[in-house]
Amino acid sequence: MPAKKTSRRARLIVIAVVLLLVAGIGGGTFWSISSVRDSFPQTTGSLKLKGLDDPVTVQRDREGIPQVYADSSKDLFTAQGYVQAQDRFWEMDVRRHTTAGRLSEMFGKSQVKTDAFLRTLGWRRVAEKEYASLAPSTKANLKAYSAGVNAYLKDHKGTAASVEYGALELSNDYTPHKWSPVDSVAWLKAMAWDLRSNMKSEVDRSLMTSRLTRQQIEELYPEYPTDRHEPIVDSEAKAGREKFVPGGSSSATPNGGAAAAQQAAVRKAGSRLSSVATQLDKVPAMLGPSNSGIGSNSWVVSGEHTTTGKPLLANDPHLAPQLPSVWYQMGLHCRTVSKACPYDVSGFTFSGMPGVVIGHNQQISWGMTNLGADVTDLYLEKFRDGGYLYDGKRRPYRTRQETIKVADGPSREITVRETDNGPVISDRDSELRKVGDEAPVDNAAPDRGDGYGVSLRWTALSPSKSMDAIFKLNRASDFKGFRAAARDFAAPSQNLIYADTKGNIGYQAPGRIPVRAAGDGRYPAPGWDSRYRWKGYIPQDALPWEYNPERGYIVTANQAVVDKKKYPYMLTEDWSYGTRSQRINDLIKSKIEDGGKISTNDMQTMQMDNSSEIAKLLVPYLLKIDVKDGYVREAQQLLEGWDYTQDRDSAPAAYFNAVWRNMLLLAFGNKLPKELRVKGDCLNVRPTDDSAPVDDLSGNTRLVRECGVRDAASGQPDGGDRWYEVVRKLIKDSDSDWWKTPDNKGRPGDQNRDELLAHAMKNARWELTSKLGKDIETWSWGRLHLLLLKNQTIGTEGPGFMQWLLNRGPWDLGGGEDAVNATGWNAAGGYEVVWVPSMRMVVNLDDFDKSRWINLTGASGHTYNPHYVDQMDKWSEGATLKWAFSEKAVEKATEDKMAFTP
């Protein structure tokens, strides 16, 4: 063992020196440079690829984006697997270990709890069942893709596959195993998890019960403003069925003891549910934190309103910034499109998945945004005698054993329990097992005994055919084929928009969306009561859709899909509140009403719109405040004449966003329980139980120090458009209790709206003085609103020198929370960018070669490769790249050409 440790230290020193030399710190040598470049992909010449029937050509442009040409589907997807592995295998490997709950095999004992939670969810097990039920053609494509990945792995090991493997060898002897089709299918589970909609809101509302009344909680989750923010589908939702008859709601709420038991149990279990929230936040996010900012923009405009006479379609999904980007640009072309080889498609996909997820083929284009349907429910479970209660009777668990292998350590064994509602997630942590141990008892609720457990019902834990949907989308030639593909897109539930070369536009809401027998999914439900079970799913023919609407455009940006008063089923009660969608609607309308035609450049300009909708509401109130302090008044004057745009060089945008953040913390944040506040946010509060100390060390009677527990990306109030709507409803009530703050060290607190706004302006002035300096002339929003790109895993938690070598940035950005240019930030945590438009595209259905696209980072996952972050500067400036599609355009753009031969 001592010799082995010495060897690892030696390798660490070698890798560090090599990478530092290549980074330009030293002179460098041929050996050191070649060592790091060992993993760079071969992009010219020829290479024999086992399993091919005929030669395949791969052409890359100046950004390294590959276009693959083949004569059969098998050869096409074999080559796709090889090429993606060339550029991104480390990323692919980490993803599949995440979805399988096998991170401990790569990173050791620090990941055991995460693996245990993921094994409990059972993503991999569900993916295995899904694969078995997929169409034969889908299975064949997945097998071909796997063969391509494995052909790459056969000849690339250690640093030849990626520099990160060299770092990993320092701590264990990990060697990647072969890729399997299930590895690709399982990725859809991670995608569905990150876009699972309202689970966090469900938990947050429950946690609020420890400090707020039900009425106060509802004030923080106001009704969707249908009167001001248009739903996606106009008027009566097209659903292939008769119009909705009022009173036909699918979600009934039981009367009497059951409803009382639910609310009482949630109220008392709420403070314990923080452990559930903490554990959920620890699950690795492939796409980013599950928050209000996780959404997207997409819209399509028909040819009657465009300069080309054919539709234009735009899409920019909002996800966490990652390095490399979560997206991978690619073209997949059958040299002759036929039944045997039906693909001619280009767009954005995920490394580790065959096909194209968002993009276009020869005849149609499609985009996606998160629909936000409520597809998860948490259930409080009453355990008894080795089972659980259901309608007064004991039922046995379903159990299974899981073995977690740990790098350089002993394996761990866990037992997973499931009820009819789903896996028992409270088994995964000693604190979780205490959930509900103080829940009250009444005539309808079971004796609390040692408390309630928590199980999870989630649509993605049932096998589906979402992978079939990807290939169907890639092959679709008209709206009928597009809708047929959407029927199979079960999870995650997405808004799908459509355009075709014949001039048609459309929309389809797909997904497996539950129909609840009772309750509305807003709070955890009593698992012991059968009235709270799901009774089925919304029929696919009843899901909303539109085709060539009279207005001539369709906008989806996570707003309400339909007016719930005009639709018979509940999709969710937790939509995004429509700030972005309405801004896009207004921009399109204003152009059309002025008699103008919309161009590709107009679509790109809309994507970069920085307007702050909350500033339009709040600034007039801020300017009416009589500020006596000249130092604060100087900052207040920045807002006079401001046009509400959040450009990165804007001083008014910096000050306003600081005021907004401080206002939220004063009015709401300091009144929320610690389970929702950010780590380091500490308050002196009055204890809620008799076990708390009477005095703290400062002598404050009956006060205790209470600090937040959330990370900066998921704390509340996050400042998203839900909070816009909260403030909109409160702003005219100057004496609302929300504007009042407690005494602070003998000084009286704020007593009304204007006092609190003045307080926020003062705090913002001093905060920005400390961050940006005294001279407001030097202030800019971009200096606060920074984006740092972190390489996943080792770039976030690895040795410091590896983080330095793998990460990039920061970049100062414009835009903001729920602007169309949604460079999101969490007001509870600070101003740093926590989600972004992860790519942008505008598809021109008149001439695909005049379409535009941009990725967040670049094609390569290899540090110091020319394409590691080569698109980032253009992305930050709002620029895009030409998107070649036709064979002639691809040939003209080609910089490197390579042949794969049998």
Side-chain angles (χ1 to χ4, degrees):
M1 285 299 292
K4 193 170 185 179
K5 289 182 178 178
T6 300
S7 174
R8 286 176 179 159
R9 290 193 189 99
R11 288 201 298 273
L12 173 61
I13 293 171
V14 169
I15 291 173
V17 171
V18 169
L19 294 178
L20 289 171
L21 288 173
V22 174
I25 292 178
T29 66
F30 175 81
W31 175 84
S32 66
I33 293 174
S34 64
S35 295
V36 173
R37 289 181 174 173
D38 196 23
S39 63
F40 290 7
Q42 178 184 344
T43 59
T44 58
S46 63
L47 183 148
K48 289 189 179 297
L49 186 54
K50 184 179 179 181
L52 292 182
D53 293 327
D54 298 291
V56 174
T57 303
V58 180
Q59 298 176 223
R60 294 179 184 254
D61 62 14
R62 63 183 298 175
E63 281 78 30
I65 299 169
Q67 304 282 340
V68 182
Y69 291 86
D71 291 322
S72 68
S73 297
K74 175 190 170 187
D75 288 352
L76 187 68
F77 293 113
T78 298
Q80 183 183 18
Y82 191 94
V83 169
Q84 285 196 343
Q86 279 186 303
D87 284 331
R88 300 280 193 93
F89 184 73
W90 167 261
E91 176 191 6
M92 293 163 59
D93 201 16
V94 172
R95 282 182 180 169
R96 66 169 169 168
H97 278 77
T98 300
T99 58
R102 296 175 58 183
L103 288 168
S104 299
E105 294 179 19
M106 297 183 76
F107 304 110
K109 63 183 180 181
S110 66
Q111 299 301 313
V112 168
K113 280 191 174 183
T114 296
D115 282 346
F117 195 84
L118 290 165
R119 297 286 186 94
T120 299
L121 293 178
W123 292 354
R124 176 78 183 192
R125 295 176 70 251
V126 179
E128 289 170 349
K129 294 177 182 177
E130 280 191 13
Y131 177 72
S133 67
L134 294 174
S137 62
T138 299
K139 288 183 179 178
N141 294 342
L142 288 164
K143 288 177 181 176
Y145 181 89
S146 298
V149 176
N150 291 328
Y152 171 83
L153 284 180
K154 183 178 178 182
D155 299 323
H156 296 81
K157 303 186 185 303
T159 54
S162 181
V163 165
E164 288 92 335
Y165 287 109
L168 205 61
E169 287 175 358
L170 305 173
S171 58
N172 65 67
D173 296 322
Y174 170 78
T175 301
H177 56 281
K178 286 187 175 181
W179 192 268
S180 80
V182 177
D183 291 332
S184 296
V185 177
W187 162 239
L188 289 172
K189 299 301 163 190
M191 183 179 173
W193 177 258
D194 287 352
L195 300 175
R196 62 193 181 276
S197 185
N198 82 325
M199 188 191 298
K200 183 173 286 294
S201 294
E202 185 177 336
V203 172
D204 286 356
R205 280 190 290 265
S206 301
L207 296 173
M208 288 179 185
T209 61
S210 69
R211 184 150 297 173
L212 303 177
T213 67
R214 179 66 179 268
Q215 180 181 343
Q216 289 172 323
I217 293 171
E218 294 305 312
E219 288 175 356
L220 299 185
Y221 290 87
E223 286 278 323
Y224 183 87
T226 310
D227 58 329
R228 288 183 291 103
H229 293 168
E230 301 167 33
I232 295 172
V233 175
D234 196 13
S235 66
E236 302 292 342
K238 293 181 177 64
R241 53 179 288 134
E242 59 199 42
K243 291 184 178 180
F244 170 52
V245 178
S249 174
S250 66
S251 182
T253 301
N255 296 319
Q262 179 194 17
Q263 294 307 317
V266 167
R267 184 172 61 253
K268 291 296 288 184
S271 62
R272 301 290 187 174
L273 279 167
S274 62
S275 298
V276 174
T278 300
Q279 194 66 29
L280 293 175
D281 284 342
K282 289 180 181 178
V283 177
M286 297 290 96
L287 304 178
S290 179
N291 254 340
S292 63
I294 296 300
S296 303
N297 301 322
S298 70
W299 65 94
V300 60
V301 182
S302 70
E304 64 179 306
H305 299 307
T306 69
T307 57
T308 66
K310 289 290 179 69
L312 294 172
L313 185 151
N315 199 184
D316 56 286
H318 305 158
L319 304 171
Q322 298 185 19
L323 181 60
S325 167
V326 69
W327 296 107
Y328 185 89
Q329 294 152 289
M330 201 169 202
L332 300 170
H333 309 278
C334 293
R335 292 192 179 100
T336 301
V337 177
S338 65
K339 186 175 181 180
C341 193
Y343 299 97
D344 190 9
V345 60
S346 183
F348 295 84
T349 188
F350 299 119
S351 301
M353 265 184 60
V356 167
V357 177
I358 295 174
H360 70 84
N361 59 27
Q362 289 177 311
Q363 294 160 301
I364 77 165
S365 178
W366 65 94
M368 298 185 188
T369 64
N370 197 19
L371 191 150
D374 186 354
V375 296
T376 60
D377 275 336
L378 294 173
Y379 284 89
L380 299 178
E381 302 283 4
K382 177 56 193 172
F383 300 144
R384 181 173 293 171
D385 301 328
Y388 62 98
L389 286 184
Y390 188 73
D391 281 348
K393 297 180 180 179
R394 176 191 166 278
R395 288 189 176 184
Y397 308 114
R398 295 188 299 275
T399 63
R400 67 177 188 272
Q401 302 299 124
E402 297 272 358
T403 300
I404 300 173
K405 296 180 180 179
V406 183
D408 287 349
S411 297
R412 312 294 171 85
E413 302 287 336
I414 66 169
T415 299
V416 177
R417 299 189 294 176
E418 292 187 6
T419 72
D420 284 348
N421 292 317
V424 180
I425 60 175
S426 55
D427 281 349
R428 296 283 63 91
D429 188 279
S430 59
E431 286 300 311
L432 298 188
R433 289 194 290 272
K434 297 178 182 178
V435 170
D437 63 359
E438 295 180 0
V441 181
D442 63 19
N443 292 334
D447 177 29
R448 68 173 177 257
D450 57 356
Y452 300 153
V454 181
S455 64
L456 170 66
R457 183 86 188 265
W458 178 33
T459 56
L461 296 183
S462 298
S464 68
K465 295 180 180 292
S466 293
M467 188 60 75
D468 282 343
I470 298 297
F471 292 110
K472 285 184 178 181
L473 277 174
N474 287 199
R475 298 191 301 262
S477 60
D478 54 23
F479 192 61
K480 181 179 178 181
F482 168 79
R483 293 191 72 199
R487 293 182 73 92
D488 287 335
F489 209 109
S493 186
Q494 298 287 287
N495 295 306
L496 296 177
I497 61 166
Y498 167 92
D500 64 35
T501 55
K502 294 181 179 179
N504 301 301
I505 65 173
Y507 164 82
Q508 178 67 56
R512 181 184 290 159
I513 303 172
V515 175
R516 292 167 175 82
D520 56 12
R522 288 169 57 80
Y523 292 87
W528 54 83
D529 189 334
S530 62
R531 286 174 289 185
Y532 286 87
R533 289 297 303 273
W534 295 357
K535 65 178 185 181
Y537 301 97
I538 298 176
Q540 290 292 307
D541 290 339
L543 289 170
W545 61 280
E546 274 194 325
Y547 187 59
N548 292 330
E550 185 177 344
R551 65 184 176 277
Y553 58 90
I554 302 170
V555 175
T556 85
N558 319 116
Q559 79 270 39
V561 174
V562 293
D563 183 339
K564 69 178 184 179
K565 297 176 183 177
K566 301 176 181 179
Y567 186 66
Y569 298 99
M570 189 197 78
L571 297 174
T572 186
E573 293 288 341
D574 286 305
W575 303 111
S576 175
Y577 281 77
T579 298
R580 283 178 288 110
S581 64
Q582 194 57 46
R583 176 63 177 172
I584 297 167
N585 269 298
D586 290 344
L587 290 170
I588 295 172
K589 279 184 191 176
S590 64
K591 185 79 172 182
I592 293 173
E593 289 173 358
D594 288 343
K597 298 285 187 177
I598 295 172
S599 67
T600 300
N601 288 339
D602 291 330
M603 300 285 273
Q604 290 182 230
T605 299
M606 291 179 197
Q607 287 180 326
M608 295 302 296
D609 184 80
N610 287 331
S611 178
S612 171
E613 297 304 298
I614 188 60
K616 294 176 185 178
L617 172 69
L618 201 56
V619 165
Y621 288 90
L622 297 176
L623 291 177
K624 291 178 181 178
I625 303 296
D626 183 14
V627 176
K628 304 295 186 184
D629 186 330
Y631 200 59
V632 179
R633 171 64 181 148
E634 182 184 30
Q636 183 189 33
Q637 288 175 313
L638 286 173
L639 303 178
E640 296 175 357
W642 179 41
D643 63 0
Y644 311 122
T645 59
Q646 300 170 98
D647 297 332
R648 60 185 174 187
D649 60 354
S650 170
Y655 182 60
F656 172 78
N657 283 317
V659 174
W660 171 240
R661 165 175 148 79
N662 281 278
M663 189 211 80
L664 288 170
L665 294 176
L666 289 168
F668 309 105
N670 295 345
K671 294 161 187 170
L672 298 177
K674 66 180 186 299
E675 292 86 2
L676 273 68
R677 301 201 314 272
V678 172
K679 294 175 185 175
D681 178 8
C682 300
L683 302 170
N684 290 324
V685 300
R686 299 192 183 281
T688 57
D689 62 84
D690 293 335
S691 64
V694 174
D695 299 297
D696 68 9
L697 294 179
S698 65
N700 291 321
T701 302
R702 299 290 294 163
L703 292 179
V704 294
R705 192 70 167 163
E706 181 188 86
C707 296
V709 299
R710 287 271 175 93
D711 63 52
S714 60
Q716 290 292 341
D718 62 22
D721 67 352
R722 173 167 67 87
W723 294 99
Y724 295 6
E725 198 62 23
V726 169
V727 172
R728 183 182 299 278
K729 289 182 176 296
L730 286 174
I731 196 69
K732 292 183 179 180
D733 182 3
S734 62
D735 294 318
S736 168
D737 286 344
W738 289 110
W739 302 121
K740 298 176 182 178
T741 60
D743 295 351
N744 182 26
K745 297 180 180 179
R747 294 194 297 270
D750 305 313
Q751 297 301 307
N752 55 49
R753 178 196 64 207
D754 289 352
E755 288 185 12
L756 186 139
L757 293 180
H759 190 171
M761 285 196 290
K762 179 181 178 181
N763 286 359
R765 174 42 157 144
W766 286 104
E767 181 186 9
L768 294 200
T769 297
S770 67
K771 293 180 183 294
L772 302 179
K774 295 181 179 180
D775 185 359
I776 63 173
E777 297 297 327
T778 66
W779 288 2
S780 70
W781 174 224
R783 287 177 62 199
L784 285 175
H785 197 47
L786 298 172
L787 171 62
L788 175 65
L789 292 175
K790 293 185 178 182
N791 187 283
Q792 297 304 289
T793 61
I794 293 178
T796 56
E797 297 181 1
F801 79 93
M802 288 299 296
Q803 293 189 38
W804 180 83
L805 291 165
L806 295 173
N807 298 342
R808 297 292 183 272
W811 283 265
D812 56 336
L813 300 182
E817 183 76 3
D818 273 304
V820 179
N821 181 23
T823 54
W825 55 287
N826 186 303
Y831 305 98
E832 294 77 14
V833 177
V834 294
W835 48 76
V836 294
S838 55
M839 62 81 160
R840 299 186 184 100
M841 75 175 195
V842 178
V843 180
N844 183 326
L845 275 295
D846 178 57
D847 184 347
F848 287 123
D849 290 331
K850 293 181 180 178
S851 301
R852 309 287 298 184
W853 63 353
I854 194 76
N855 205 350
L856 177 65
T857 58
S860 179
H862 302 292
T863 187
Y864 296 109
N865 183 281
H867 306 305
Y868 191 50
V869 290
D870 60 331
Q871 297 185 50
M872 183 60 214
D873 285 341
K874 290 184 175 67
W875 177 93
S876 69
E877 295 164 359
T880 54
L881 303 171
K882 291 182 179 180
W883 182 353
F885 177 68
S886 70
E887 190 172 359
K888 181 179 179 180
V890 169
E891 185 66 33
K892 183 178 180 181
T894 296
E895 298 268 330
D896 290 338
K897 184 180 290 189
M898 184 175 179
F900 291 147
T901 59

